[in-house]
Amino acid sequence: MALFHVRMDVDIPRDLDPDLRAETLAREKEYSQELQRQGKWPEIWRIVGKYSNISIFDVESADELHEILFGLPLFPFMNIEVTALTRHGSDIKE
Amino acid sequence: MALFHVRMDVDIPRDLDPDLRAETLAREKEYSQELQRQGKWPEIWRIVGKYSNISIFDVESADELHEILFGLPLFPFMNIEVTALTRHGSDIKE
Amino acid sequence: MALFHVRMDVDIPRDLDPDLRAETLAREKEYSQELQRQGKWPEIWRIVGKYSNISIFDVESADELHEILFGLPLFPFMNIEVTALTRHGSDIKE
Amino acid sequence: MALFHVRMDVDIPRDLDPDLRAETLAREKEYSQELQRQGKWPEIWRIVGKYSNISIFDVESADELHEILFGLPLFPFMNIEVTALTRHGSDIKE
Amino acid sequence: MALFHVRMDVDIPRDLDPDLRAETLAREKEYSQELQRQGKWPEIWRIVGKYSNISIFDVESADELHEILFGLPLFPFMNIEVTALTRHGSDIKE
Amino acid sequence: MALFHVRMDVDIPRDLDPDLRAETLAREKEYSQELQRQGKWPEIWRIVGKYSNISIFDVESADELHEILFGLPLFPFMNIEVTALTRHGSDIKE
Amino acid sequence: MALFHVRMDVDIPRDLDPDLRAETLAREKEYSQELQRQGKWPEIWRIVGKYSNISIFDVESADELHEILFGLPLFPFMNIEVTALTRHGSDIKE
Amino acid sequence: MALFHVRMDVDIPRDLDPDLRAETLAREKEYSQELQRQGKWPEIWRIVGKYSNISIFDVESADELHEILFGLPLFPFMNIEVTALTRHGSDIKE
Amino acid sequence: MALFHVRMDVDIPRDLDPDLRAETLAREKEYSQELQRQGKWPEIWRIVGKYSNISIFDVESADELHEILFGLPLFPFMNIEVTALTRHGSDIKE
Amino acid sequence: MALFHVRMDVDIPRDLDPDLRAETLAREKEYSQELQRQGKWPEIWRIVGKYSNISIFDVESADELHEILFGLPLFPFMNIEVTALTRHGSDIKE
């Protein structure tokens, strides 16, 4: 398994059709929650004051992570930064 | 409760006394693990390729977080960046 | 209670409908002043030469701060940077 | 009167004589508190996780501010950023 | 009196109505020259190769400077950076 | 398998003992070449004009990559940036 | 021969005609694959989470590289960074 | 004649011999004042809160400016940024 | 004479009228070549992979350089950075 | 042939032995001038106000450039940035 830290900054264009916007946001939520239920997206937090999230992904590989991120309904409107993580020597979780 | 994302980049001076270095690292580990056991430092990951960690703190307040961070044995040798988090609307955890 | 330093940089699109713009600015002012009266937004200053402010928020939690900031009528047109504060050891205010 | 936002990042050299260090920190505290009592340094906050403060100065002029900052016992060990402030149009304080 | 160093970078949108553009530029020049005649804007230079200026303002206060800058006809199309100045110890002007 | 792009910028302190320096460089070379022979470090290039390399690693996981990088004899004297890669849709290699 | 490391960040305007977009992407793929077959573009990887690639070019000269890059169908929609590479002293490939 | 905007940020090493430091500062002041009297260094201001100055030089050429700057007694301890200026079209000085 | 290093990054808006675009580019080329023939613009290179050039100007003064740069047909679509040069002590050209 | 734009920023440590410093500078000059005479280093300029140069190299390949730069006596004390150049379409030199 591979653990990644992902920051997503969202910037939806002001002139996006409101229905398309609403539908995209609904699909994004559904997509995220399905991956959370599968355990592949175990953590998602909002950064205070920003239309941004910090997430942890727990996936088979970087290839799978890329498939997931490219599939995000909001992908065209996001800047995404990926950081590879590994176990910390002080972590008490085995 | 208050949730914070904290990144710590460690830079121990090369000329630090080896015994002091070893002792400081041992105290840092003990300090971190005690806070993990208390549930205040629920996550700590190593950034791949760096002497850095990304951590999540779950504390009473920013004041408590500052006390914790100032008390880190490695504090004089770290750059620390704190980001306040809040619940994300898509998070399936209630 | 939790204290935050917030910088807001405003960039209203040139093509925003003038009535919508005026109404948004009026709502922003009312919103800010109501929070000032409640004591949650105790300080707001203009940065000289910029359409920006630096503010201090005194709220229950980062969660409450996020609710407040997301609710700002100008939120879609601002970049916001949040910094968590704590008491300084030299502060003479008890 | 002139209002300034000042951020100070402290970096005391590791090899500073411990007595000199302690004495400098004591003088810094006394110096800051005297200016707070005079009303010239009305606010000082610690940035969470950093050896830094954000302060508000309320002085006669930028000249007076510079005299104050140059006189800080820790001045040689600080990076200081000054931002001129003015009253915000939404501020409810007259 | 208060002395400020101000850099203004101008970026007029390409689709601004040509008459409005010409009129705005004319008003900007008139506005600047009136302040120069009053002694409040004693220096203005062009940065070579840029649609930018570096100016010195000599005003009563930062508040007055902000009023002046907000009133610039080109204000909506400029990025402005303000730096507070004070007398240099080597300056031979008394 | 997991593919990573790694940039290493080397900065050996001037006062490192010359013998230790030579020995460290020799061990670094041996360590790198052993991993190249194992196929885990398939590419290493020098950046023209810099004491830096750009490398490709082909490893089991980010965890293994971290073990490798932490084990580099020059690790204490390098800044390392890791970027996760995946297959490009236009790549003709199957 | 000359070896170059090239990073391309793609940003296709949202309002590009969908047919033109599809045709441009198809031509880009064909163009890239022809150069891969010629051995001039031996490596192309996707950066995880980004509409970006990192590529290695193996060409006669920087002049040839520029011709290739200027000819990319997506060139008007890309930011490109070129880094000259040379053989690393630890490389086991002769 | 040629007009230049020069920013100098001073960083004198802590371990400089105190007598050498005092003598260097005295020579710097004398050097600066002689050039001010010659009209080549017409303006020098202190940046509030910093050991930095912003100066205007009015010299024969960039070559002369370089000679002047290289000759500064504090040159080894300064970072210097030079910006070429020209007359602004709104300047009322002929 | 005065020597300047100038970098120009071109960004022509996608919606510029194609005829105007072609005509502007033709005028730019003619303008540049006339100045090259006069010896004022002795060097112009393309940066590999970018719609940018690095040029050397050999002019009477910074004022003349500014006139030249402001007159560039592509000026509204370029970011320009100017660096003043002087003779290097190791240059073998007298 | 291959053309490169190279910027070198020099930072010689203050505690370098004065004789070694003088000898290194003398060797640097000789080394540079020999390459100028060979036509490989056709241009070298000083940046006004900085201990930096901008140079043009005209070499067989990036490999040769790297050999040259690594061989600079001041290499350990310089930061070097290399930019690959190619002929500009407006250049009147054939």
Side-chain angles (χ1 to χ4, degrees), chain F residues 23-60:
Chain F
E23 183 228 24
T24 305
L25 289 173
R27 284 195 296 122
E28 177 84 9
K29 189 171 188 171
E30 186 177 10
Y31 183 94
S32 168
Q33 294 189 334
E34 174 58 24
L35 287 159
Q36 291 178 55
R37 278 188 293 265
Q38 294 175 18
K40 293 179 188 297
W41 191 339
E43 301 286 357
I44 178 169
W45 300 284
R46 177 70 71 198
I47 298 178
V48 173
K50 292 200 172 287
Y51 196 170
S52 306
N53 73 69
I54 288 177
S55 291
I56 303 295
F57 284 86
D58 186 357
V59 289
E60 283 300 316

Side-chain angles (χ1 to χ4, degrees), chain I residues 38-84:
Chain I
Q38 294 174 20
K40 293 179 190 297
W41 190 339
E43 301 286 359
I44 178 170
W45 300 283
R46 177 71 72 199
I47 297 178
V48 172
K50 291 199 172 286
Y51 197 170
S52 307
N53 72 68
I54 288 176
S55 291
I56 304 295
F57 284 86
D58 186 357
V59 290
E60 284 299 316
S61 63
D63 306 301
E64 186 186 10
L65 178 63
H66 188 70
E67 290 306 306
I68 288 171
L69 296 176
F70 244 54
L72 287 164
L74 284 175
F75 182 83
F77 311 131
M78 293 201 292
N79 183 53
I80 296 181
E81 295 294 333
V82 172
T83 306

Side-chain angles (χ1 to χ4, degrees), chain A residues 11-29:
Chain A
D11 184 13
I12 302 179
R14 234 176 88 233
D15 62 353
L16 192 71
D17 174 74
D19 288 349
L20 180 50
R21 179 190 175 103
E23 184 229 23
T24 305
L25 289 172
R27 284 196 295 123
E28 177 83 11
K29 188 171 188 172

Side-chain angles (χ1 to χ4, degrees), chain A residues 9-59:
Chain A
D9 294 290
V10 184
D11 184 13
I12 302 179
R14 234 176 88 233
D15 62 353
L16 192 71
D17 174 74
D19 288 349
L20 180 50
R21 179 190 175 103
E23 184 229 23
T24 305
L25 289 172
R27 284 196 295 123
E28 177 83 11
K29 188 171 188 172
E30 186 177 9
Y31 183 95
S32 167
Q33 295 190 333
E34 174 57 25
L35 287 158
Q36 291 178 53
R37 279 187 293 263
Q38 295 174 18
K40 292 180 189 296
W41 191 339
E43 301 286 357
I44 178 169
W45 300 283
R46 177 70 72 199
I47 298 178
V48 173
K50 292 200 172 287
Y51 196 171
S52 306
N53 72 68
I54 288 177
S55 291
I56 303 295
F57 284 85
D58 185 357
V59 290

Side-chain angles (χ1 to χ4, degrees), chain C residues 26-93:
Chain C
R27 284 196 295 124
E28 176 84 10
K29 188 171 189 172
E30 187 177 8
Y31 183 95
S32 167
Q33 295 190 333
E34 175 57 26
L35 286 158
Q36 291 179 53
R37 279 187 293 265
Q38 295 174 18
K40 292 179 190 297
W41 192 337
E43 301 287 356
I44 178 169
W45 300 283
R46 177 70 72 199
I47 298 179
V48 173
K50 291 199 172 288
Y51 197 170
S52 306
N53 73 68
I54 288 177
S55 291
I56 303 295
F57 283 86
D58 186 357
V59 290
E60 283 300 316
S61 63
D63 306 300
E64 185 186 12
L65 178 62
H66 188 70
E67 290 306 306
I68 287 171
L69 297 176
F70 244 55
L72 287 164
L74 285 175
F75 182 83
F77 310 131
M78 294 202 292
N79 183 52
I80 296 181
E81 295 294 334
V82 172
T83 306
L85 300 177
T86 188
R87 191 179 176 279
H88 192 284
S90 297
D91 193 344
I92 59 172
K93 295 192 287 289

